Amino acid sequence: MARTIISAIALLCIAISASAQAKIDKYIEDMEKRPDVETTYTERRAPRKKKLVRISRIMNFQNPKYYQQLLKAFEDERDNTVSASKTDKMMTYRFENNKGTSTYSLTWGQGYSAPYTLVMSWRSQDADDQSYIDDEHSTGSEILVFDSFGCNTKVSTSTSTNSYQKQADKANKKLAAMARKRAAEARKQACEARKKAAKASKQAADAQKRAERTRGYSADCKYSERAYQNALRASCRTISPAGQVREFSAFDAMDNSSIWEHLEKTDVNANCIVTITEVSGATTIIDMKSPLI
């Protein structure tokens, strides 16, 4: 299978080696080798002569650098096109030579953002020649479709030129839709993983902070074990002279000597509420029943 794909690409390279769109083709070949680009390759051959008559690539990617490089390649080759069009979400260039017609379509999201999709198709000049493709008694031909995982699927078609095009377009659209769906699922899973990692990181940081704070308090000899035990179960509420209320754990009031003095004096098993009036006029309430930590 790999040999088949390599042969098909080699034939395509021969057809476009001296093409006007060489810069675009070169960058597409480079992109195919990158792991963050999802590529779907499709080809169709003449049933009798087994020569390529149509080839297409669909490339989905998120990296804005690739998008900028493609834009530059498109603009560099613009003077060589036979037609060029651009809208706020898409640009399409078409090239022709004695081998066939190549069409390149680049699409993007709102505001020139990801996701980006590049569709490249090549059509032989002999594609419309029924004597080249098949005789009138032929039952049809097959399109061989390769996805980015190297798997292939044969799609049967009739001998009508319109039927060939419709079948190929249908197959391309289906593969493109599947590629976009897989990309969306991958983005969703990555987002969920980042959320879980962030939550775990925050929990670990909180745990480390409490452990360090506990070790620091335990190392301070001016407070007894009773004060620490009371601080673990006590919450504090300070009311300023202006009426502003602030709630915090007694553990966070280590610098307040009045609070720690009362924690030192209060029995470990006592359920009580202590009210302290500061010189500033602020009132602090220590609740030994409702710890905040």
Side-chain angles (χ1 to χ4, degrees):
M1 182 188 303
R3 183 178 300 173
T4 303
I5 298 175
I6 293 172
S7 299
I9 295 175
L11 287 173
L12 177 61
C13 290
I14 294 172
I16 62 176
S17 60
S19 65
Q21 68 276 16
K23 291 185 179 179
I24 301 177
D25 292 330
K26 183 179 184 304
Y27 193 71
I28 289 176
E29 290 178 15
D30 291 340
M31 287 180 62
E32 281 187 313
K33 302 172 185 177
R34 297 174 183 173
D36 56 344
V37 177
E38 186 175 52
T39 303
T40 301
Y41 176 83
T42 307
E43 68 177 34
R44 183 163 69 81
R45 295 176 177 272
R48 286 193 304 168
K49 299 185 179 181
K50 304 302 180 185
K51 290 186 178 181
L52 285 169
V53 291
R54 288 195 181 93
I55 292 177
S56 72
R57 289 188 183 94
I58 301 173
M59 309 177 79
N60 293 289
F61 56 96
Q62 300 285 327
N63 195 324
K65 292 182 179 179
Y66 303 164
Y67 166 71
Q68 294 295 334
Q69 289 293 330
L70 280 172
L71 280 183
K72 184 179 184 304
F74 268 61
E75 289 304 315
D76 288 345
E77 303 288 9
R78 184 173 182 177
D79 291 341
N80 298 321
T81 63
V82 294
S83 69
S85 64
K86 183 177 180 181
T87 67
D88 60 340
K89 292 185 179 180
M90 181 179 182
M91 64 190 307
T92 301
Y93 284 11
R94 189 162 64 90
F95 303 86
E96 290 183 358
N97 59 20
N98 61 342
K99 297 293 184 180
T101 301
S102 299
T103 304
Y104 303 80
S105 294
L106 178 62
T107 61
W108 52 84
Q110 189 69 32
Y112 303 95
S113 61
Y116 306 102
T117 299
L118 174 68
V119 178
M120 176 272 179
S121 63
W122 174 80
R123 183 170 176 272
S124 171
Q125 292 285 26
D126 301 311
D128 292 330
D129 185 348
Q130 289 298 317
S131 63
Y132 175 83
I133 294 176
D134 208 349
D135 58 36
E136 61 182 4
H137 303 294
S138 174
T139 57
S141 63
E142 293 179 333
I143 300 174
L144 190 59
V145 177
F146 295 92
D147 63 17
S148 59
F149 300 100
C151 301
N152 67 77
T153 303
K154 291 183 178 180
V155 180
S156 298
T157 68
S158 68
T159 57
S160 167
T161 301
N162 289 335
S163 296
Y164 281 131
Q165 188 63 46
K166 288 179 181 179
Q167 288 285 349
D169 290 345
K170 184 176 180 180
N172 287 340
K173 288 180 181 178
K174 184 176 180 180
L175 289 170
M178 292 173 60
R180 287 193 295 269
K181 184 177 180 180
R182 287 197 294 266
E185 288 294 330
R187 289 194 297 271
K188 182 179 178 181
Q189 291 175 2
C191 182
E192 291 296 329
R194 286 195 296 270
K195 287 182 179 179
K196 290 181 180 179
K199 184 177 180 181
S201 178
K202 184 177 183 303
Q203 291 175 344
D206 290 343
Q208 183 179 2
K209 183 178 178 181
R210 290 190 179 186
E212 290 175 352
R213 186 171 61 182
T214 302
R215 287 195 299 269
Y217 289 167
S218 298
D220 196 329
C221 298
K222 70 178 181 180
Y223 301 118
S224 69
E225 184 65 24
R226 174 187 293 180
Y228 289 115
Q229 291 182 12
N230 283 332
L232 285 170
R233 67 189 184 92
S235 62
C236 298
R237 181 182 295 105
T238 297
I239 305 172
S240 70
Q244 295 179 336
V245 178
R246 183 172 69 92
E247 295 187 354
F248 52 92
S249 167
F251 240 178
D252 296 328
M254 187 173 181
D255 294 334
N256 191 312
S257 58
S258 297
I259 293 176
W260 280 84
E261 182 181 350
H262 284 81
L263 293 174
E264 179 76 29
K265 294 178 180 179
T266 304
D267 188 79
V268 173
N269 298 318
N271 291 326
C272 61
I273 296 176
V274 179
T275 301
I276 305 171
T277 302
E278 306 287 350
V279 177
S280 63
T283 300
T284 300
I285 301 171
I286 307 174
D287 187 350
M288 299 290 185
K289 300 177 183 179
S290 306
L292 290 180
I293 63 173

